Amino acid sequence: MSTAKAYAATSATTPLASTTIQRREPGERDVQIEILFCGVCHSDLHYARNEWSGMPPVFPAVPGHEIVGRVTQVGSAVTKHKVGDTVGVGCMVGADLSCPMCKKDLEQFCPNMVLTYGSPEKATGKVTYGGYSDSVVVDEHFVLKVPANLDLAGTAPLLCAGITTYSPLRHWGVTKGKKVGVVGLGGLGHMGVKFAHALGAHTVVFTTSPKKKEDALRLGADGVIISTDSAEMSKHAGTFDFILDCVAAEHDLNAYVQLLAADGTLCLVGAPDTPLPIGVFGLIFGRKSISGSLIGGIAETQEMLDFCGEHNITADVEIIPIQKINDAWDRMVKSDVKYRFSIDMSSLKSE
Ligand code: NAP
Ligand code: ZN
């Protein structure tokens, strides 16, 4: 075991604070990483504040699953990475790699998937600690290669917000000629806009924040609709092929079902805990679908990072020292993020 610096929550109602944690010694298939940046995902807050009934937090909780860093040590059997490589780690650090899901490169659906934080760790049985820390030890299979041309602070959010939006856009065949909506211009939403635009789709942003309109256009949207304006919403009824819903709170899904064309799909990636009511008739007329999507597999995450390398895509980030994390979380709850916080982990050195 070795000691790492971290920020942790000790209860659902206390702010995150500086602490030390134990990391395992790298095993033969493990990569030890010095964390340089970690993105701040709304899931970090849902988890630590006990907002998900299906995933109660284990305290102390160290969130963070948008990790970019440098390899400092590798186990004897590691072949994918070497000391000095710039690498990323997303929401998963383990899976059985032998089940039907893993064999289809869908490790995120493996019944034995291990989350980067809050899951029992395979090697030690202890709960995993995430990336709000200065180092981490991860099985090489779950460590991604970062294209050399990408800015590291803006790359960290690709490991969750990036893959979570890229994967459904690819799965549902978003391409040139399709009309695509992205609901909620936060961390996930702004990546969804960049990807839908890069894939050639006509991209429309739905936001509750009128002041984000110009940014949405700059990020690649062809149109912006203020979702509280029902007259504006109804002008687009029946016209969307695909809508990606990235909203972190309770909201009305029926308003978006109504905007789908026949055979269109509303895909939920935002994860509020409250059940959301659906009017069945809205689906029947037009054979419409509501679906969900969870991050993406490791091969697809690498594909997404390579796509970002080719198209020079990173997240728009506000870089913060770890000491500002509690303010950042409060701002995230108020939808006041442009458009992802990325923690500069060198700030942990002074703790
Ligand atoms: P975020 O940065 O806080 O963005 C959420 C956006 O939702 C806000 O910026 C806001 O956009 C909109 N919004 C917030 N409250 C709203 C309300 N009451 N009504 C309507 N819109 C509202 O969060 P994030 O990090 O992108 O995460 C979004 C959600 O995705 C979270 O629930 C998170 O847990 C989940 N998530 C899921 C996966 C997955 O694999 N499925 C992965 C990562 C995260 P506007 O200001 O534009 O309205
Ligand atoms: Zn996330």
mmCIF file of all heavy atoms in Angstrom, residues 40-44 46 52 65 91 160-161 164 183-189 205-209 212 227 246-251 268-272 293-296 332-333 335-337 339-340, ligand 1:
data_model
loop_
_atom_site.group_PDB
_atom_site.id
_atom_site.type_symbol
_atom_site.label_atom_id
_atom_site.label_comp_id
_atom_site.label_asym_id
_atom_site.label_seq_id
_atom_site.Cartn_x
_atom_site.Cartn_y
_atom_site.Cartn_z
ATOM 1 N N VAL A 40 -14.895 17.373 -13.300
ATOM 2 C CA VAL A 40 -15.915 17.335 -12.244
ATOM 3 C C VAL A 40 -17.261 17.015 -12.894
ATOM 4 O O VAL A 40 -17.828 17.840 -13.617
ATOM 5 C CB VAL A 40 -15.981 18.691 -11.508
ATOM 6 C CG1 VAL A 40 -17.077 18.685 -10.452
ATOM 7 C CG2 VAL A 40 -14.625 19.014 -10.881
ATOM 8 N N CYS A 41 -17.734 15.795 -12.663
ATOM 9 C CA CYS A 41 -18.986 15.319 -13.270
ATOM 10 C C CYS A 41 -20.122 15.482 -12.267
ATOM 11 O O CYS A 41 -19.917 15.342 -11.061
ATOM 12 C CB CYS A 41 -18.816 13.844 -13.639
ATOM 13 S SG CYS A 41 -20.272 13.118 -14.420
ATOM 14 N N HIS A 42 -21.332 15.743 -12.774
ATOM 15 C CA HIS A 42 -22.472 15.854 -11.859
ATOM 16 C C HIS A 42 -22.699 14.543 -11.102
ATOM 17 O O HIS A 42 -23.224 14.534 -9.983
ATOM 18 C CB HIS A 42 -23.731 16.257 -12.640
ATOM 19 C CG HIS A 42 -24.709 17.034 -11.823
ATOM 20 N ND1 HIS A 42 -25.035 18.340 -12.073
ATOM 21 C CD2 HIS A 42 -25.431 16.678 -10.723
ATOM 22 C CE1 HIS A 42 -25.928 18.753 -11.175
ATOM 23 N NE2 HIS A 42 -26.181 17.764 -10.342
ATOM 24 N N SER A 43 -22.275 13.429 -11.686
ATOM 25 C CA SER A 43 -22.400 12.133 -10.985
ATOM 26 C C SER A 43 -21.595 12.132 -9.687
ATOM 27 O O SER A 43 -21.993 11.467 -8.718
ATOM 28 C CB SER A 43 -21.904 10.995 -11.880
ATOM 29 O OG SER A 43 -22.605 10.975 -13.090
ATOM 30 N N ASP A 44 -20.458 12.846 -9.657
ATOM 31 C CA ASP A 44 -19.642 12.903 -8.435
ATOM 32 C C ASP A 44 -20.497 13.430 -7.278
ATOM 33 O O ASP A 44 -20.447 12.911 -6.163
ATOM 34 C CB ASP A 44 -18.439 13.852 -8.621
ATOM 35 C CG ASP A 44 -17.512 13.426 -9.760
ATOM 36 O OD1 ASP A 44 -17.648 12.293 -10.258
ATOM 37 O OD2 ASP A 44 -16.643 14.250 -10.148
ATOM 38 N N HIS A 46 -23.998 13.702 -7.286
ATOM 39 C CA HIS A 46 -25.141 12.802 -7.019
ATOM 40 C C HIS A 46 -24.699 11.719 -6.036
ATOM 41 O O HIS A 46 -25.400 11.388 -5.085
ATOM 42 C CB HIS A 46 -25.572 12.069 -8.291
ATOM 43 C CG HIS A 46 -26.338 12.854 -9.319
ATOM 44 N ND1 HIS A 46 -27.400 13.676 -9.032
ATOM 45 C CD2 HIS A 46 -26.223 12.880 -10.684
ATOM 46 C CE1 HIS A 46 -27.895 14.179 -10.165
ATOM 47 N NE2 HIS A 46 -27.183 13.714 -11.178
ATOM 48 N N TRP A 52 -28.623 9.192 -5.304
ATOM 49 C CA TRP A 52 -29.032 8.009 -6.082
ATOM 50 C C TRP A 52 -29.399 6.889 -5.122
ATOM 51 O O TRP A 52 -28.525 6.322 -4.448
ATOM 52 C CB TRP A 52 -27.887 7.533 -6.974
ATOM 53 C CG TRP A 52 -27.665 8.320 -8.213
ATOM 54 C CD1 TRP A 52 -28.561 9.061 -8.914
ATOM 55 C CD2 TRP A 52 -26.415 8.412 -8.931
ATOM 56 N NE1 TRP A 52 -27.967 9.616 -10.022
ATOM 57 C CE2 TRP A 52 -26.657 9.233 -10.061
ATOM 58 C CE3 TRP A 52 -25.138 7.879 -8.750
ATOM 59 C CZ2 TRP A 52 -25.676 9.537 -10.991
ATOM 60 C CZ3 TRP A 52 -24.158 8.172 -9.674
ATOM 61 C CH2 TRP A 52 -24.424 9.001 -10.784
ATOM 62 N N HIS A 65 -14.061 10.686 -11.936
ATOM 63 C CA HIS A 65 -13.858 9.608 -12.911
ATOM 64 C C HIS A 65 -13.574 10.184 -14.306
ATOM 65 O O HIS A 65 -13.975 9.598 -15.305
ATOM 66 C CB HIS A 65 -15.021 8.598 -12.897
ATOM 67 C CG HIS A 65 -16.384 9.181 -13.129
ATOM 68 N ND1 HIS A 65 -17.531 8.594 -12.676
ATOM 69 C CD2 HIS A 65 -16.779 10.292 -13.789
ATOM 70 C CE1 HIS A 65 -18.569 9.312 -13.039
ATOM 71 N NE2 HIS A 65 -18.145 10.342 -13.735
ATOM 72 N N CYS A 91 -14.850 5.995 -16.067
ATOM 73 C CA CYS A 91 -15.747 5.598 -14.970
ATOM 74 C C CYS A 91 -15.546 4.177 -14.486
ATOM 75 O O CYS A 91 -16.100 3.788 -13.467
ATOM 76 C CB CYS A 91 -17.196 5.744 -15.437
ATOM 77 S SG CYS A 91 -17.580 7.407 -15.962
ATOM 78 N N CYS A 160 -15.497 10.849 -19.268
ATOM 79 C CA CYS A 160 -16.894 10.501 -18.934
ATOM 80 C C CYS A 160 -17.856 11.284 -19.814
ATOM 81 O O CYS A 160 -18.581 10.705 -20.612
ATOM 82 C CB CYS A 160 -17.213 10.715 -17.465
ATOM 83 S SG CYS A 160 -18.977 10.482 -17.136
ATOM 84 N N ALA A 161 -17.842 12.616 -19.712
ATOM 85 C CA ALA A 161 -18.799 13.407 -20.510
ATOM 86 C C ALA A 161 -18.618 13.111 -22.001
ATOM 87 O O ALA A 161 -19.593 13.049 -22.758
ATOM 88 C CB ALA A 161 -18.588 14.898 -20.236
ATOM 89 N N THR A 164 -19.824 9.374 -22.837
ATOM 90 C CA THR A 164 -21.260 9.207 -22.548
ATOM 91 C C THR A 164 -22.127 9.823 -23.647
ATOM 92 O O THR A 164 -23.256 9.380 -23.890
ATOM 93 C CB THR A 164 -21.603 9.827 -21.173
ATOM 94 O OG1 THR A 164 -20.820 9.165 -20.184
ATOM 95 C CG2 THR A 164 -23.069 9.690 -20.835
ATOM 96 N N VAL A 183 -30.342 18.112 -25.027
ATOM 97 C CA VAL A 183 -31.069 18.794 -23.960
ATOM 98 C C VAL A 183 -30.147 19.000 -22.762
ATOM 99 O O VAL A 183 -29.580 18.047 -22.240
ATOM 100 C CB VAL A 183 -32.303 17.970 -23.520
ATOM 101 C CG1 VAL A 183 -33.155 18.795 -22.551
ATOM 102 C CG2 VAL A 183 -33.120 17.509 -24.711
ATOM 103 N N GLY A 184 -30.004 20.274 -22.333
ATOM 104 C CA GLY A 184 -29.179 20.606 -21.165
ATOM 105 C C GLY A 184 -27.742 20.888 -21.557
ATOM 106 O O GLY A 184 -26.998 19.979 -21.904
ATOM 107 N N LEU A 185 -27.369 22.163 -21.518
ATOM 108 C CA LEU A 185 -26.006 22.525 -21.930
ATOM 109 C C LEU A 185 -25.106 22.604 -20.690
ATOM 110 O O LEU A 185 -24.734 23.678 -20.229
ATOM 111 C CB LEU A 185 -26.012 23.835 -22.713
ATOM 112 C CG LEU A 185 -24.759 24.082 -23.561
ATOM 113 C CD1 LEU A 185 -24.621 23.037 -24.658
ATOM 114 C CD2 LEU A 185 -24.773 25.474 -24.181
ATOM 115 N N GLY A 186 -24.766 21.428 -20.188
ATOM 116 C CA GLY A 186 -23.792 21.319 -19.101
ATOM 117 C C GLY A 186 -22.578 20.576 -19.626
ATOM 118 O O GLY A 186 -22.247 20.659 -20.814
ATOM 119 N N GLY A 187 -21.935 19.833 -18.726
ATOM 120 C CA GLY A 187 -20.728 19.082 -19.119
ATOM 121 C C GLY A 187 -21.013 18.079 -20.216
ATOM 122 O O GLY A 187 -20.346 18.059 -21.256
ATOM 123 N N LEU A 188 -22.010 17.225 -20.011
ATOM 124 C CA LEU A 188 -22.347 16.236 -21.038
ATOM 125 C C LEU A 188 -22.891 16.934 -22.283
ATOM 126 O O LEU A 188 -22.469 16.646 -23.405
ATOM 127 C CB LEU A 188 -23.397 15.244 -20.505
ATOM 128 C CG LEU A 188 -22.866 13.927 -19.926
ATOM 129 C CD1 LEU A 188 -21.931 14.179 -18.762
ATOM 130 C CD2 LEU A 188 -24.009 13.024 -19.479
ATOM 131 N N GLY A 189 -23.848 17.831 -22.079
ATOM 132 C CA GLY A 189 -24.529 18.467 -23.200
ATOM 133 C C GLY A 189 -23.565 19.170 -24.145
ATOM 134 O O GLY A 189 -23.678 19.037 -25.367
ATOM 135 N N VAL A 205 -29.821 22.815 -29.705
ATOM 136 C CA VAL A 205 -29.685 22.748 -28.245
ATOM 137 C C VAL A 205 -30.984 23.183 -27.577
ATOM 138 O O VAL A 205 -31.592 24.176 -27.988
ATOM 139 C CB VAL A 205 -28.528 23.660 -27.775
ATOM 140 C CG1 VAL A 205 -28.555 23.877 -26.268
ATOM 141 C CG2 VAL A 205 -27.193 23.061 -28.203
ATOM 142 N N PHE A 206 -31.404 22.429 -26.560
ATOM 143 C CA PHE A 206 -32.516 22.831 -25.694
ATOM 144 C C PHE A 206 -31.936 23.215 -24.354
ATOM 145 O O PHE A 206 -31.250 22.412 -23.717
ATOM 146 C CB PHE A 206 -33.502 21.675 -25.504
ATOM 147 C CG PHE A 206 -34.166 21.264 -26.782
ATOM 148 C CD1 PHE A 206 -33.630 20.235 -27.555
ATOM 149 C CD2 PHE A 206 -35.304 21.904 -27.224
ATOM 150 C CE1 PHE A 206 -34.227 19.859 -28.741
ATOM 151 C CE2 PHE A 206 -35.914 21.535 -28.417
ATOM 152 C CZ PHE A 206 -35.369 20.518 -29.183
ATOM 153 N N THR A 207 -32.173 24.441 -23.940
ATOM 154 C CA THR A 207 -31.605 24.913 -22.677
ATOM 155 C C THR A 207 -32.656 25.644 -21.858
ATOM 156 O O THR A 207 -33.590 26.229 -22.428
ATOM 157 C CB THR A 207 -30.364 25.815 -22.943
ATOM 158 O OG1 THR A 207 -29.846 26.267 -21.694
ATOM 159 C CG2 THR A 207 -30.691 27.025 -23.813
ATOM 160 N N THR A 208 -32.472 25.613 -20.527
ATOM 161 C CA THR A 208 -33.321 26.439 -19.662
ATOM 162 C C THR A 208 -32.638 27.774 -19.363
ATOM 163 O O THR A 208 -33.198 28.597 -18.642
ATOM 164 C CB THR A 208 -33.586 25.716 -18.308
ATOM 165 O OG1 THR A 208 -32.337 25.459 -17.666
ATOM 166 C CG2 THR A 208 -34.335 24.407 -18.494
ATOM 167 N N SER A 209 -31.431 27.971 -19.887
ATOM 168 C CA SER A 209 -30.612 29.151 -19.570
ATOM 169 C C SER A 209 -30.425 30.033 -20.804
ATOM 170 O O SER A 209 -29.505 29.799 -21.600
ATOM 171 C CB SER A 209 -29.233 28.712 -19.065
ATOM 172 O OG SER A 209 -29.342 27.772 -18.040
ATOM 173 N N LYS A 212 -27.041 31.068 -22.239
ATOM 174 C CA LYS A 212 -26.110 30.127 -22.873
ATOM 175 C C LYS A 212 -26.271 30.070 -24.402
ATOM 176 O O LYS A 212 -25.585 29.310 -25.075
ATOM 177 C CB LYS A 212 -26.314 28.721 -22.297
ATOM 178 C CG LYS A 212 -25.921 28.576 -20.833
ATOM 179 C CD LYS A 212 -26.072 27.133 -20.352
ATOM 180 C CE LYS A 212 -25.760 27.006 -18.860
ATOM 181 N NZ LYS A 212 -26.078 25.642 -18.349
ATOM 182 N N SER A 227 -36.160 25.911 -23.635
ATOM 183 C CA SER A 227 -37.139 24.826 -23.470
ATOM 184 C C SER A 227 -38.361 25.232 -22.660
ATOM 185 O O SER A 227 -39.384 24.538 -22.694
ATOM 186 C CB SER A 227 -36.460 23.609 -22.840
ATOM 187 O OG SER A 227 -35.774 23.992 -21.662
ATOM 188 N N CYS A 246 -29.496 15.242 -21.545
ATOM 189 C CA CYS A 246 -28.355 15.284 -20.609
ATOM 190 C C CYS A 246 -28.700 16.000 -19.315
ATOM 191 O O CYS A 246 -27.804 16.532 -18.643
ATOM 192 C CB CYS A 246 -27.174 16.008 -21.282
ATOM 193 S SG CYS A 246 -26.705 15.342 -22.880
ATOM 194 N N VAL A 247 -29.969 16.050 -18.964
ATOM 195 C CA VAL A 247 -30.403 16.850 -17.819
ATOM 196 C C VAL A 247 -30.231 16.074 -16.507
ATOM 197 O O VAL A 247 -30.584 14.904 -16.412
ATOM 198 C CB VAL A 247 -31.877 17.293 -18.001
ATOM 199 C CG1 VAL A 247 -32.404 17.978 -16.754
ATOM 200 C CG2 VAL A 247 -31.987 18.206 -19.214
ATOM 201 N N ALA A 248 -29.701 16.787 -15.492
ATOM 202 C CA ALA A 248 -29.377 16.152 -14.210
ATOM 203 C C ALA A 248 -30.516 16.212 -13.204
ATOM 204 O O ALA A 248 -30.347 15.775 -12.069
ATOM 205 C CB ALA A 248 -28.130 16.832 -13.629
ATOM 206 N N ALA A 249 -31.674 16.769 -13.578
ATOM 207 C CA ALA A 249 -32.761 16.969 -12.609
ATOM 208 C C ALA A 249 -34.089 16.538 -13.228
ATOM 209 O O ALA A 249 -34.186 16.284 -14.430
ATOM 210 C CB ALA A 249 -32.826 18.447 -12.221
ATOM 211 N N GLU A 250 -35.116 16.482 -12.365
ATOM 212 C CA GLU A 250 -36.466 16.122 -12.807
ATOM 213 C C GLU A 250 -36.933 17.107 -13.886
ATOM 214 O O GLU A 250 -36.752 18.317 -13.731
ATOM 215 C CB GLU A 250 -37.368 16.239 -11.567
ATOM 216 C CG GLU A 250 -38.648 15.512 -11.667
ATOM 217 C CD GLU A 250 -39.432 15.585 -10.352
ATOM 218 O OE1 GLU A 250 -38.841 15.918 -9.288
ATOM 219 O OE2 GLU A 250 -40.635 15.326 -10.418
ATOM 220 N N HIS A 251 -37.519 16.610 -14.968
ATOM 221 C CA HIS A 251 -38.053 17.490 -16.019
ATOM 222 C C HIS A 251 -39.033 16.696 -16.860
ATOM 223 O O HIS A 251 -39.134 15.477 -16.721
ATOM 224 C CB HIS A 251 -36.914 18.068 -16.876
ATOM 225 C CG HIS A 251 -36.105 17.029 -17.582
ATOM 226 N ND1 HIS A 251 -35.322 16.117 -16.912
ATOM 227 C CD2 HIS A 251 -35.972 16.724 -18.894
ATOM 228 C CE1 HIS A 251 -34.733 15.308 -17.785
ATOM 229 N NE2 HIS A 251 -35.115 15.644 -18.987
ATOM 230 N N LEU A 268 -31.872 8.919 -22.947
ATOM 231 C CA LEU A 268 -31.561 9.568 -21.672
ATOM 232 C C LEU A 268 -30.159 9.170 -21.219
ATOM 233 O O LEU A 268 -29.867 7.987 -21.095
ATOM 234 C CB LEU A 268 -32.566 9.135 -20.600
ATOM 235 C CG LEU A 268 -34.048 9.272 -20.957
ATOM 236 C CD1 LEU A 268 -34.907 8.734 -19.826
ATOM 237 C CD2 LEU A 268 -34.408 10.716 -21.253
ATOM 238 N N VAL A 269 -29.323 10.178 -21.028
ATOM 239 C CA VAL A 269 -28.041 9.920 -20.357
ATOM 240 C C VAL A 269 -27.991 10.624 -19.004
ATOM 241 O O VAL A 269 -27.305 10.170 -18.091
ATOM 242 C CB VAL A 269 -26.804 10.272 -21.225
ATOM 243 C CG1 VAL A 269 -26.606 9.235 -22.322
ATOM 244 C CG2 VAL A 269 -26.896 11.671 -21.803
ATOM 245 N N GLY A 270 -28.701 11.741 -18.875
ATOM 246 C CA GLY A 270 -28.830 12.395 -17.573
ATOM 247 C C GLY A 270 -29.487 11.430 -16.603
ATOM 248 O O GLY A 270 -30.299 10.593 -17.021
ATOM 249 N N ALA A 271 -29.135 11.529 -15.325
ATOM 250 C CA ALA A 271 -29.529 10.484 -14.387
ATOM 251 C C ALA A 271 -30.159 11.021 -13.098
ATOM 252 O O ALA A 271 -29.639 10.796 -12.006
ATOM 253 C CB ALA A 271 -28.316 9.619 -14.073
ATOM 254 N N PRO A 272 -31.315 11.743 -13.204
ATOM 255 C CA PRO A 272 -32.022 12.111 -11.970
ATOM 256 C C PRO A 272 -32.640 10.856 -11.357
ATOM 257 O O PRO A 272 -32.990 9.921 -12.084
ATOM 258 C CB PRO A 272 -33.094 13.085 -12.457
ATOM 259 C CG PRO A 272 -33.305 12.776 -13.898
ATOM 260 C CD PRO A 272 -32.032 12.181 -14.418
ATOM 261 N N SER A 293 -28.526 5.222 -22.035
ATOM 262 C CA SER A 293 -27.179 4.802 -22.430
ATOM 263 C C SER A 293 -26.224 5.084 -21.277
ATOM 264 O O SER A 293 -26.379 6.094 -20.574
ATOM 265 C CB SER A 293 -26.761 5.563 -23.696
ATOM 266 O OG SER A 293 -25.560 5.048 -24.224
ATOM 267 N N LEU A 294 -25.274 4.182 -21.062
ATOM 268 C CA LEU A 294 -24.318 4.305 -19.959
ATOM 269 C C LEU A 294 -22.894 4.372 -20.520
ATOM 270 O O LEU A 294 -22.468 3.438 -21.205
ATOM 271 C CB LEU A 294 -24.448 3.088 -19.033
ATOM 272 C CG LEU A 294 -23.502 3.025 -17.840
ATOM 273 C CD1 LEU A 294 -23.869 4.067 -16.794
ATOM 274 C CD2 LEU A 294 -23.525 1.635 -17.210
ATOM 275 N N ILE A 295 -22.215 5.435 -20.256
ATOM 276 C CA ILE A 295 -20.830 5.685 -20.731
ATOM 277 C C ILE A 295 -20.569 4.980 -22.066
ATOM 278 O O ILE A 295 -21.311 5.191 -23.021
ATOM 279 C CB ILE A 295 -19.764 5.398 -19.637
ATOM 280 C CG1 ILE A 295 -19.987 4.055 -18.939
ATOM 281 C CG2 ILE A 295 -19.766 6.545 -18.639
ATOM 282 C CD1 ILE A 295 -18.886 3.640 -17.949
ATOM 283 N N GLY A 296 -19.575 4.117 -22.147
ATOM 284 C CA GLY A 296 -19.270 3.369 -23.363
ATOM 285 C C GLY A 296 -18.172 2.379 -23.004
ATOM 286 O O GLY A 296 -17.530 2.518 -21.947
ATOM 287 N N MET A 332 -22.345 24.028 -9.971
ATOM 288 C CA MET A 332 -22.875 22.998 -10.873
ATOM 289 C C MET A 332 -24.371 22.792 -10.621
ATOM 290 O O MET A 332 -25.154 22.653 -11.564
ATOM 291 C CB MET A 332 -22.093 21.703 -10.681
ATOM 292 C CG MET A 332 -22.398 20.627 -11.691
ATOM 293 S SD MET A 332 -21.051 19.432 -11.830
ATOM 294 C CE MET A 332 -21.052 18.743 -10.186
ATOM 295 N N VAL A 333 -24.774 22.807 -9.360
ATOM 296 C CA VAL A 333 -26.197 22.632 -9.020
ATOM 297 C C VAL A 333 -27.029 23.767 -9.617
ATOM 298 O O VAL A 333 -28.176 23.575 -10.013
ATOM 299 C CB VAL A 333 -26.382 22.563 -7.483
ATOM 300 C CG1 VAL A 333 -27.853 22.552 -7.110
ATOM 301 C CG2 VAL A 333 -25.686 21.336 -6.918
ATOM 302 N N SER A 335 -26.516 25.161 -12.475
ATOM 303 C CA SER A 335 -26.280 25.142 -13.934
ATOM 304 C C SER A 335 -25.304 26.237 -14.356
ATOM 305 O O SER A 335 -25.359 26.724 -15.483
ATOM 306 C CB SER A 335 -27.590 25.305 -14.722
ATOM 307 O OG SER A 335 -28.511 24.313 -14.367
ATOM 308 N N ASP A 336 -24.413 26.617 -13.460
ATOM 309 C CA ASP A 336 -23.462 27.693 -13.741
ATOM 310 C C ASP A 336 -22.061 27.097 -13.975
ATOM 311 O O ASP A 336 -21.158 27.274 -13.171
ATOM 312 C CB ASP A 336 -23.472 28.673 -12.549
ATOM 313 C CG ASP A 336 -22.435 29.777 -12.692
ATOM 314 O OD1 ASP A 336 -22.032 30.074 -13.836
ATOM 315 O OD2 ASP A 336 -22.009 30.318 -11.650
ATOM 316 N N VAL A 337 -21.936 26.370 -15.059
ATOM 317 C CA VAL A 337 -20.644 25.760 -15.416
ATOM 318 C C VAL A 337 -20.398 26.012 -16.888
ATOM 319 O O VAL A 337 -21.275 25.776 -17.708
ATOM 320 C CB VAL A 337 -20.659 24.219 -15.211
ATOM 321 C CG1 VAL A 337 -19.267 23.661 -15.410
ATOM 322 C CG2 VAL A 337 -21.204 23.836 -13.856
ATOM 323 N N TYR A 339 -17.705 24.768 -19.544
ATOM 324 C CA TYR A 339 -18.869 23.904 -19.412
ATOM 325 C C TYR A 339 -18.498 22.651 -18.633
ATOM 326 O O TYR A 339 -19.285 21.738 -18.523
ATOM 327 C CB TYR A 339 -19.441 23.611 -20.807
ATOM 328 C CG TYR A 339 -20.309 24.814 -21.211
ATOM 329 C CD1 TYR A 339 -19.772 25.927 -21.857
ATOM 330 C CD2 TYR A 339 -21.653 24.854 -20.849
ATOM 331 C CE1 TYR A 339 -20.573 27.035 -22.150
ATOM 332 C CE2 TYR A 339 -22.443 25.957 -21.158
ATOM 333 C CZ TYR A 339 -21.900 27.038 -21.800
ATOM 334 O OH TYR A 339 -22.679 28.132 -22.077
ATOM 335 N N ARG A 340 -17.266 22.648 -18.112
ATOM 336 C CA ARG A 340 -16.835 21.597 -17.207
ATOM 337 C C ARG A 340 -15.739 22.162 -16.320
ATOM 338 O O ARG A 340 -14.846 22.862 -16.827
ATOM 339 C CB ARG A 340 -16.249 20.433 -18.024
ATOM 340 C CG ARG A 340 -16.119 19.096 -17.304
ATOM 341 C CD ARG A 340 -17.413 18.593 -16.802
ATOM 342 N NE ARG A 340 -17.623 17.174 -16.878
ATOM 343 C CZ ARG A 340 -18.794 16.613 -16.564
ATOM 344 N NH1 ARG A 340 -19.807 17.346 -16.162
ATOM 345 N NH2 ARG A 340 -18.954 15.313 -16.629
HETATM 346 P P1 NAP B 1 -24.212 19.416 -15.514
HETATM 347 O O1 NAP B 1 -22.915 19.892 -16.052
HETATM 348 O O2 NAP B 1 -24.690 19.903 -14.200
HETATM 349 O O3 NAP B 1 -25.308 19.703 -16.654
HETATM 350 C C1 NAP B 1 -26.673 19.452 -16.474
HETATM 351 C C2 NAP B 1 -27.483 20.471 -17.264
HETATM 352 O O4 NAP B 1 -28.858 20.101 -17.137
HETATM 353 C C3 NAP B 1 -27.425 21.877 -16.727
HETATM 354 O O5 NAP B 1 -26.306 22.598 -17.150
HETATM 355 C C4 NAP B 1 -28.722 22.480 -17.251
HETATM 356 O O6 NAP B 1 -28.551 22.873 -18.613
HETATM 357 C C5 NAP B 1 -29.660 21.290 -17.251
HETATM 358 N N1 NAP B 1 -30.557 21.342 -16.082
HETATM 359 C C6 NAP B 1 -30.193 21.367 -14.785
HETATM 360 N N2 NAP B 1 -31.283 21.402 -13.988
HETATM 361 C C7 NAP B 1 -32.331 21.390 -14.801
HETATM 362 C C8 NAP B 1 -33.743 21.380 -14.607
HETATM 363 N N3 NAP B 1 -34.268 21.425 -13.366
HETATM 364 N N4 NAP B 1 -34.552 21.336 -15.685
HETATM 365 C C9 NAP B 1 -34.042 21.312 -16.910
HETATM 366 N N5 NAP B 1 -32.690 21.323 -17.172
HETATM 367 C C10 NAP B 1 -31.874 21.354 -16.133
HETATM 368 O O7 NAP B 1 -24.213 17.831 -15.369
HETATM 369 P P2 NAP B 1 -23.403 16.725 -16.218
HETATM 370 O O8 NAP B 1 -22.139 16.422 -15.526
HETATM 371 O O9 NAP B 1 -23.417 17.089 -17.646
HETATM 372 O O10 NAP B 1 -24.335 15.447 -15.988
HETATM 373 C C11 NAP B 1 -25.675 15.431 -16.448
HETATM 374 C C12 NAP B 1 -26.369 14.196 -15.929
HETATM 375 O O11 NAP B 1 -25.827 13.063 -16.601
HETATM 376 C C13 NAP B 1 -26.199 13.913 -14.440
HETATM 377 O O12 NAP B 1 -27.423 13.430 -13.943
HETATM 378 C C14 NAP B 1 -25.143 12.836 -14.409
HETATM 379 O O13 NAP B 1 -25.196 12.025 -13.262
HETATM 380 C C15 NAP B 1 -25.505 12.060 -15.644
HETATM 381 N N6 NAP B 1 -24.434 11.215 -16.204
HETATM 382 C C16 NAP B 1 -24.806 10.069 -16.804
HETATM 383 C C17 NAP B 1 -23.858 9.268 -17.415
HETATM 384 C C18 NAP B 1 -24.258 8.029 -18.135
HETATM 385 O O14 NAP B 1 -23.404 7.193 -18.404
HETATM 386 N N7 NAP B 1 -25.514 7.889 -18.498
HETATM 387 C C19 NAP B 1 -22.517 9.657 -17.379
HETATM 388 C C20 NAP B 1 -22.180 10.854 -16.779
HETATM 389 C C21 NAP B 1 -23.151 11.642 -16.193
HETATM 390 P P3 NAP B 1 -29.248 24.236 -19.173
HETATM 391 O O15 NAP B 1 -28.729 25.341 -18.312
HETATM 392 O O16 NAP B 1 -28.763 24.284 -20.570
HETATM 393 O O17 NAP B 1 -30.714 24.029 -19.070
#
